[in-house]
């Protein structure tokens, strides 16, 4: 079993909720890697017997860092229409809400389709070296990252940088076929923009993460275990919060996901 | 009373929920303008006696178009931390969920702050003509829009355009001092990207809208009734859904909000 599948595994309970367990493989500095928590909440809707279609949008609000150990996840369809379904999802520990999420699922039909943006021109993944894992938290060891630009600074020398742009080839480590679960986790795998911009460490924490899925299950399946190209940047850092927008591009240059988050930082 | 304040007014009910009413002034083709619904849900947390701080993030999921008439809004803090508060909000009619939302509020402190992106260079608002209101839905009459580029196509001639980029000076009409309520509505005031890209009308509906507030109340107050500069674009249109990312820039060139949505469209 892939460590991501272990980390996002949910056991159905008699009351319709699910039981999960944090995974040391995806630990962060404090609590679990947010991407895996997001994937876990998505998985609760995905596994739910009332599910309609596939995810189009997922918003995860990180209210508190879950402690190591068990948690429960409840997912309920707030409304089911003919082709769309709206989910409300909560992760609790000892009865307390640690994470909330909403998701929109949909049955997609073929329509006129057209990209507007394309991926940047970058060297192929296999021409780049895998990023160092020295001083990286456990979760980062479960991604193979090959940076074109904007990797974690080699030194926190407090030299302010002009931007926080990242371009990185990334895949699960060990390799795992791409699906909605792994894609939703991967969308949170970009290092905090404030570390890149300031080359300075600061306590940070994502407070809200939204991912739009532009791909359906068939397009994700076609990616297999190939690396995907991630791009990320910030617009603004102001009084304790910065934003990040990221795109994830597939091997065929398709946009698989676009993802946005707002992150708390301490000075 | 400004029509936006009428449209977002909420009356506290004995059970802790609020009663609101759709407003003909902000009607859309089907149901109310989504921006006003978003503002109404934000207002429920804003007015709640348990509120801590100011909004940082708001996600609104449009599950069904509310019918004209009364609705109730419930807002509950799912978790309150020392400086952040996570809200779950629902709008119901006849007991049925029409709209759900989550919001993160925070007490901001002064920290190192720095923009990364800036607004595009554009002509001043008063050098541009106000956009025509011919064939526009009622809500659009309550915005003064002056397009630098990417206004509503003059004709739906089905000529595919290379992009869907909009730059527009916009303010409430009649003028109203900017605050979180009006800003959250204004973030949804960009015409559907698919209309611009295809120059073709199609039924559309936002399914999920996320707004990040980069400004605090003082910075918004300083904008007064001046127009703000909005920019919007799409990344991808695929099988019934497209995304939109927008930014709203203040008179002092500060980023006031960034906003993202995913929109259903029919072919």
């Amino acid at each position: 079993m892939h460590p991501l599948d272990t980390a996002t595994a949910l056991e159905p309970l008699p009351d319709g909720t699910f039981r999960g367990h944090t995974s040391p493989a995806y630990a962060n500095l404090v609590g679990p890697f947010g991407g895996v928590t997001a994937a876990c909440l998505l998985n609760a809707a995905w596994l739910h017997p009332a599910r309609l279609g596939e995810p189009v949008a997922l918003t995860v609000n990180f209210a508190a860092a879950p402690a190591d150990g068990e948690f429960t996840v409840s997912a309920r369809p707030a409304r089911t229409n003919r082709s769309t379904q709206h989910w409300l999802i909560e992760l609790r520990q000892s009865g307390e809400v640690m994470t909330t999420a909403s998701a929109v699922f949909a049955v997609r039909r073929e329509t006129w389709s057209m990209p507007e943006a394309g991926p940047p021109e970058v060297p192929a993944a296999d021409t780049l070296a895998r990023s160092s894992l020295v001083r990286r938290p456990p979760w980062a060891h479960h991604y193979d990252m090959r940076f074109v630009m904007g990797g974690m600074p080699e030194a926190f020398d407090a030299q302010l940088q002009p931007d926080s742009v990242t371009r990185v080839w990334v895949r699960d480590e060990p390799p795992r076929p791409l699906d909605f679960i792994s894609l939703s986790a991967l969308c949170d795998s970009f290092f905090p923009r404030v570390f890149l911009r300031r080359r300075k460490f600061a306590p940070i924490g994502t407070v809200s993460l939204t991912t739009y899925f532009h791909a359906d299950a068939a397009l994700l399946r076609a990616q297999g275990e190939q690396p995907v190209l991630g791009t990320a940047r910030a617009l603004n850092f102001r009084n304790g919060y910065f934003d990040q927008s990221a795109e994830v591009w597939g091997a065929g240059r398709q946009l698989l996901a676009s993802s946005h988050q707002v992150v708390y930082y301490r000075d």
Side-chain angles (χ1 to χ4, degrees), chain A:
Chain A
M1 195 155 170
H2 192 282
L4 183 69
D5 293 304
T6 306
T8 57
L10 293 174
E11 175 197 349
L13 298 177
D15 66 355
T17 66
F18 296 91
R19 179 162 47 210
H21 201 287
T22 60
S23 170
Y26 288 89
N28 206 344
L29 299 183
V30 179
F33 166 50
V36 156
T37 303
C40 223
L41 291 173
L42 181 65
N43 203 22
W46 182 259
L47 295 174
H48 198 287
R51 169 172 64 93
L52 178 78
E54 299 178 353
V56 167
L58 171 70
T59 292
V60 182
N61 295 296
F62 299 91
D68 291 342
E70 281 190 4
F71 52 80
T72 59
V73 183
S74 64
R76 76 174 167 93
R79 190 174 182 111
T80 302
N81 299 314
R82 205 171 40 175
S83 72
T84 60
Q85 190 172 49
H86 287 259
W87 289 88
L88 297 175
I89 314 168
E90 290 189 354
L91 185 154
R92 289 174 184 258
Q93 278 182 325
S94 311
E96 272 194 274
V97 174
M98 311 306 276
T99 325
T100 70
S102 60
V104 184
F105 279 60
V107 177
R108 286 175 179 255
R109 294 170 311 103
E110 290 227 347
T111 66
W112 171 84
S113 297
M114 183 78 69
E116 180 156 327
E121 294 300 328
V122 296
D126 60 10
T127 66
L128 300 164
R130 185 177 176 193
S131 178
S132 163
L133 295 171
V134 177
R135 294 187 305 277
R136 295 290 172 273
W139 71 264
H141 292 242
H142 293 92
Y143 288 99
D144 180 303
M145 298 186 185
R146 291 158 195 259
F147 286 92
V148 177
M149 62 169 70
M152 187 74 102
E154 287 182 23
F156 282 133
D157 57 9
Q159 294 298 303
L160 187 67
Q161 301 300 301
D163 68 51
S164 67
V165 174
T166 286
R167 294 177 182 170
V168 59
W169 286 105
V170 57
R171 63 161 174 79
D172 287 301
E173 174 59 36
R176 178 187 177 284
L178 195 66
D179 60 14
F180 290 111
I181 301 305
S182 59
L183 181 55
S184 61
L186 188 146
C187 281
D188 192 36
S189 71
F190 302 93
F191 295 123
R193 298 299 95 192
V194 71
F195 292 1
L196 275 67
R197 191 78 196 282
R198 299 188 78 187
R199 286 212 200 155
K200 188 168 182 291
F201 180 81
I204 64 102
T206 299
V207 295
S208 188
L209 166 68
T210 289
T211 298
Y212 301 141
F213 299 96
H214 297 260
D216 50 28
L219 179 53
L220 295 185
R221 218 165 17 242
Q223 303 298 313
E225 300 179 350
Q226 297 173 88
V228 294
L229 178 63
T231 65
R233 68 205 173 282
L235 294 171
N236 197 30
F237 303 79
R238 185 166 187 271
N239 287 353
Y241 292 88
F242 69 88
D243 68 298
Q244 176 188 283
S245 281
E247 285 113 41
V248 176
W249 303 91
R253 301 176 60 85
Q254 315 94 334
L255 184 62
L256 303 179
S258 52
S259 185
H260 310 281
Q261 58 180 274
V262 60
V263 183
Y264 164 82
Y265 66 97
R266 252 182 33 215
D267 205 3

